[in-house]
Amino acid sequence: MPEDRSAAPVGLLGAGTIGGGWAATYLVRRRPVLVVDPAASALDRVTAYLDTVWPSVRRTVPDAPASVPADLLRLVPIEDLGEVGLVHENVPESLDAKQEAYRGVEAVVAPHVPILSSSGGLMPTQLQACMDHPERLVVAHPQSPVYALALVEVLVGKSTAPDVVSAVLAHLTALGKRPVLLHREMPGYLTNRLTFAMLREAVHLLAEGVVDARGIEDAVVHGITPRFLIGGPLTSLALAGGPDGMRGAMRSFASTIEEWWSDLGTPHLDDDVRARLVAAADEILGGRSISEVLAARDAAVVDALSLHRPTEQPGGAGA
Ligand SMILES: NC(=O)c1ccc[n+]([C@@H]2O[C@H](COP(=O)([O-])OP(=O)(O)OC[C@H]3O[C@@H](n4cnc5c(N)ncnc54)[C@H](O)[C@@H]3O)[C@@H](O)[C@H]2O)c1
């Protein structure tokens, strides 16, 4: 980003769940947003999403606009993206769809404007392979709800320029995000790998009949999650180690941990297991619609963030 475009509009390719979340993130900070999306209903959908979530969105920053600043949001043809300061690509998770979107945007956006992909698992080196200016492509994978959760996983491809990475990290930090730069590309990145590791064991325990669906949900919601408000799995292990922390944990638990690791399951999502998962979700959701539960979850996430007390000292890494 050699030229200062920090007040320029942000371009969003794709205005589904994630594009809508980025729109909320910028609009609540009064930064103009230009949306490109071929769906006929795109503007109605993103507007409806913003209206629904705005009570939560406006709690994420001080002095937020009381209602959605609709005058700062426009659906435009791709040719109108020429003046944007950066682009978030949020099109469906397919290499072809993303590469087609890059071809369109590179035809109109100056070469130094960074393109941030929201991809949840595609390799940046593959994403940038078709680009005229691959050095500007960075994966910036947000968490849903994007406007509330600070973590953004950042991955770079073989052709990404170091100054673009620095500029993107600085931009995300200034936006109140907490970027985590992975040191190499890996399918599923970081959060999905961690999440899927727990999911794998949950499915194994369910399939083996060790516990029912409600028990799995309770273990995570009432046991594991509240502890994670102050630290991740490494902090949890250190805290379990007594006054010596991780040193004590290694002395006491290392062999047990290895023994239990070797016992973890590798379930297969065959027809029977799939049917069990569908039945489990039906039981847990209890007739509530997905959008209803999503709205409740997003509001609860914003509530929970007021209890969020990471253990690191002020001045540590991140936003
Ligand atoms: N849904 C999540 O929880 C989540 C979380 C993090 C990252 N992601 C990633 O974000 C990306 C978007 O996911 P989503 O859930 O918002 O998808 P979505 O299906 O809700 O929205 C995708 C939007 O892109 C539009 N689109 C398709 N082709 C386009 C093009 N060429 N130009 C512009 N718009 C185009 C579609 O019309 C649609 O509105 C994916 O890569 C996904 O893996 C999703």
Side-chain angles (χ1 to χ4, degrees), residues 9 34-36 74-84 108-109:
L34 301 180
V35 170
V36 173
R74 281 198 295 139
L75 181 71
V76 297
I78 200 159
E79 294 75 25
D80 287 8
L81 288 188
E83 296 307 313
V84 297
V108 291
V109 172

Side-chain angles (χ1 to χ4, degrees), residues 13-19 36-39 45 89-93 97-98 100-101 118-120 141-144:
L13 297 178
T17 308
I18 298 305
V36 173
D37 192 312
R45 216 175 41 186
E89 167 275 301
N90 324 287
V91 310
E93 187 78 349
K98 289 182 186 292
E100 186 192 325
S118 292
S119 174
H141 174 224
Q143 307 295 297
S144 190

Side-chain angles (χ1 to χ4, degrees), residues 129-244:
C130 72
M131 294 177 71
D132 294 333
H133 291 281
E135 70 280 358
R136 55 151 126 203
L137 189 281
V138 173
V139 166
H141 174 224
Q143 307 295 297
S144 190
V146 177
Y147 60 83
L149 291 174
L151 184 79
V152 180
E153 294 176 62
V154 176
L155 287 89
V156 302
K158 290 193 175 22
S159 304
T160 309
D163 65 327
V164 172
V165 182
S166 312
V168 167
L169 292 174
H171 167 72
L172 291 169
T173 303
L175 195 62
K177 294 297 182 191
R178 190 179 181 97
V180 171
L181 178 64
L182 269 63
H183 298 156
R184 67 181 166 100
E185 303 175 70
M186 187 172 266
Y189 310 159
L190 174 60
T191 50
N192 280 334
R193 291 182 78 95
L194 292 172
T195 306
F196 284 14
M198 184 183 283
L199 178 66
R200 182 170 70 177
E201 189 58 15
V203 173
H204 171 64
L205 295 174
L206 190 68
E208 291 295 307
V210 176
V211 67
D212 60 17
R214 175 56 59 197
I216 289 169
E217 296 289 291
D218 282 353
V220 175
V221 173
H222 297 285
I224 296 171
T225 305
R227 290 198 301 248
F228 280 177
L229 283 170
I230 71 118
L234 303 178
T235 302
S236 285
L237 183 55
L239 294 180
D244 281 350

